[in-house]
Amino acid sequence: QVQLVESGGGLVQPGGSLRLSCAASGSIFSIRGMGWYRQVPGKERELVALMSGVGSINYPDSMKGRFTISRDHAKKTVFLQMNSLKPEDTAVYYCTMEIMTYAVSGWVNYWGKGTLVTVSS
């Protein structure tokens, strides 16, 4: 069984910063890609940042320069540093990881339950 747990969400004023974390636990053999998505009620989930297993990073244009994804392999954790936050960044943020467990041969995408980020004055 694999669990991804996000933390670090909350209320922040426009222009402020937050750092999200997502830690994986369970019977994990290996982790490849890691990423963050976000979703506003009534809208589709959208990509925030993606890091491949070899470290290449992809950000949508609207996130470039403000958001930074990083990872700690040993701790099975991915981070999202968010700066210069805007009200339109308000959303539930989800982490995802490509994981191979000891029980299943093959890569599976796992998701956390999300953490709410609210940007408001």
Side-chain angles (χ1 to χ4, degrees), residues 38 46-49 58-67 86 89:
R38 69 185 185 186
E46 66 171 338
L47 173 67
V48 174
N58 180 35
Y59 301 103
D61 288 342
S62 60
M63 319 289 179
K64 286 180 181 176
R66 299 192 301 125
F67 292 2
K86 306 173 183 179
D89 293 318

Side-chain angles (χ1 to χ4, degrees), residues 17 24 26 31 35 44 47 53 67 75 83 97 105 111 116:
S17 298
I31 300 175
E44 291 189 358
L47 173 67
F67 292 2
K75 294 183 178 179
N83 299 326
M97 298 186 189
S105 176
W111 291 83
L116 177 63

Side-chain angles (χ1 to χ4, degrees), residues 27-93:
S27 184
I28 296 170
F29 175 72
S30 183
I31 300 175
R32 196 164 59 180
M34 293 179 169
W36 291 91
Y37 286 74
R38 69 185 185 186
Q39 189 168 25
V40 174
K43 294 189 176 181
E44 291 189 358
R45 193 170 292 190
E46 66 171 338
L47 173 67
V48 174
L50 212 54
M51 179 181 286
S52 74
V54 295
S56 61
I57 295 174
N58 180 35
Y59 301 103
D61 288 342
S62 60
M63 319 289 179
K64 286 180 181 176
R66 299 192 301 125
F67 292 2
T68 304
I69 186 172
S70 60
R71 65 194 290 173
D72 184 329
H73 240 297
K75 294 183 178 179
K76 302 182 180 66
T77 301
V78 62
F79 305 96
L80 183 69
Q81 178 67 42
M82 304 187 293
N83 299 326
S84 302
L85 284 163
K86 306 173 183 179
E88 50 265 42
D89 293 318
T90 295
V92 178
Y93 284 71

Side-chain angles (χ1 to χ4, degrees), residues 1-4 24-32 76 97-110:
Q1 191 78 352
V2 172
Q3 274 194 320
L4 273 60
S25 63
S27 184
I28 296 170
F29 175 72
S30 183
I31 300 175
R32 196 164 59 180
K76 302 182 180 66
M97 298 186 189
E98 285 182 293
I99 293 175
M100 182 180 292
T101 65
Y102 288 100
V104 177
S105 176
W107 297 97
V108 177
N109 285 321
Y110 290 87

